[in-house]
Amino acid sequence: MVNRYGHWMDTNTVIPLSPSRCLVVFDYYVDIEAIGLEGAELDVYIDEALRDSDKVQQEDEELCRIVQAGLESNGYVAGRYAPELEHGMHQFHVQLHRDVSDLVK
């Protein structure tokens, strides 16, 4: 995944470890010249941005734990997307399937 926030960009690479576990590797990139800060001010900016990013990542991790627990519960039944909420995603995957199927014929 690639996230861009102004002069800041990060990438998140998800590495599957098992059906229910993964490792996420974060890399950060910043356009230092565009920020216009130097020395201690630049250090503070980067430290704050990393701290904010870590907070969001921790929140995302907690959400993933909750979702995974739901997926492993007896109440979860695998099936198609939620039609009212994810129609666009379903259409995208239908079209992707058609395109890939055409390529392998």
Side-chain angles (χ1 to χ4, degrees), residues 13-91:
T13 304
V14 180
I15 302 166
L17 301 176
S18 74
S20 63
R21 296 194 57 208
C22 67
L23 171 69
V24 181
V25 178
F26 299 95
D27 288 300
Y28 299 92
Y29 306 88
V30 63
D31 186 351
I32 292 174
E33 291 178 10
I35 293 172
L37 299 173
E38 295 180 352
E41 288 180 325
L42 178 61
D43 292 342
V44 168
Y45 173 86
I46 290 173
D47 287 345
E48 287 176 357
L50 286 171
R51 195 171 24 259
D52 291 344
S53 177
D54 184 60
K55 180 181 178 192
V56 171
Q57 302 310 328
Q58 296 302 321
E59 292 168 354
D60 288 350
E61 184 177 331
E62 180 62 19
L63 290 172
C64 289
R65 276 194 199 101
I66 292 167
V67 168
Q68 188 63 39
L71 291 173
E72 293 173 356
S73 75
N74 291 333
Y76 175 73
V77 178
R80 205 193 106 182
Y81 305 103
E84 297 84 26
L85 302 174
E86 298 177 326
H87 181 72
M89 186 182 301
H90 181 255
Q91 288 300 108

